[in-house]
Amino acid sequence: MDNDSDQAWHGHAPKSPLPAGRRRWPWFLLIVVLAVVGAGGVYAWPEVAALVPAKSHESSGEAMTTSDKEALPTLLAAQQKLEEDLAALDRSVADGQAQLKAITDQLAVLTSKVEELQHLPPPAAPPPPVAAEASRAPIAPPAPQPRKPPPRAARSSGPVSIGGAPLNVAPNMAR
């Protein structure tokens, strides 16, 4: 019996009040509209962000608060000091670059001088003055003189040790 009831059921299935295709398209349309709006927002965001703060500052620019007015001279003084500091740094950098250029130029000059000295041939020895020596008469070497024997040390009178060296004698013992 079950087989007969299944066949009957499939053959005479009840229809739903809304068709299946018609029920899904509103959701699809909503998702597509939200995606387009989101993409347009991402595309236009830099322009909108630039306009919104400008509009808010234009309306409040005329009515500055007292705290803004009090802070303005302080901010201007700080800006002036920063500009002076930047100018001083620019001058010091320019001075440093000028000194570096001067040192580089001096180094280049010294390097070229060293290279010149390294590549010079050694100085030629001056020729011996042959003409001056030829005009002089030859001088005979001096005759050897007999050698004198070195002077002998005086012999001491007094007690002598076995090795031959004189003994030190105290002054009151000497006779």
Side-chain angles (χ1 to χ4, degrees):
M1 277 217 205
D2 289 333
N3 290 338
D4 293 335
S5 64
D6 286 340
Q7 290 174 356
W9 177 255
H10 288 298
H12 300 299
K15 292 187 176 182
S16 66
L18 294 174
R22 210 168 199 203
R23 190 176 355 153
R24 292 185 187 152
W25 76 269
W27 288 106
F28 178 75
L29 182 64
L30 179 66
I31 291 172
V32 169
V33 169
L34 288 177
V36 169
V37 169
V42 168
Y43 177 74
W45 181 255
E47 295 174 15
V48 171
L51 293 176
V52 171
K55 292 292 181 181
S56 66
H57 287 297
E58 287 177 5
S59 63
S60 67
E62 296 170 5
M64 287 181 82
T65 62
T66 57
S67 63
D68 290 342
K69 289 180 181 178
E70 291 173 0
L72 188 61
T74 306
L75 292 174
L76 291 175
Q79 181 183 7
Q80 181 70 25
K81 184 178 182 316
L82 286 174
E83 288 174 356
E84 291 171 359
D85 290 346
L86 283 175
L89 285 173
D90 287 342
R91 284 191 300 270
S92 67
V93 167
D95 291 344
Q97 288 176 345
Q99 289 175 354
L100 182 63
K101 175 140 178 48
I103 290 172
T104 305
D105 292 342
Q106 290 174 356
L107 183 62
V109 169
L110 289 175
T111 304
S112 66
K113 287 181 181 180
V114 166
E115 287 178 359
E116 283 179 17
L117 290 175
Q118 286 178 346
H119 295 300
L120 285 178
V130 178
E133 288 183 11
S135 64
R136 290 186 190 169
I139 300 174
Q145 297 197 2
R147 287 187 157 189
K148 293 182 184 178
R152 288 187 149 181
R155 287 196 169 181
S156 65
S157 59
V160 177
S161 71
I162 297 177
L167 294 175
N168 290 337
V169 179
N172 54 357
M173 287 190 76
R175 290 184 188 172

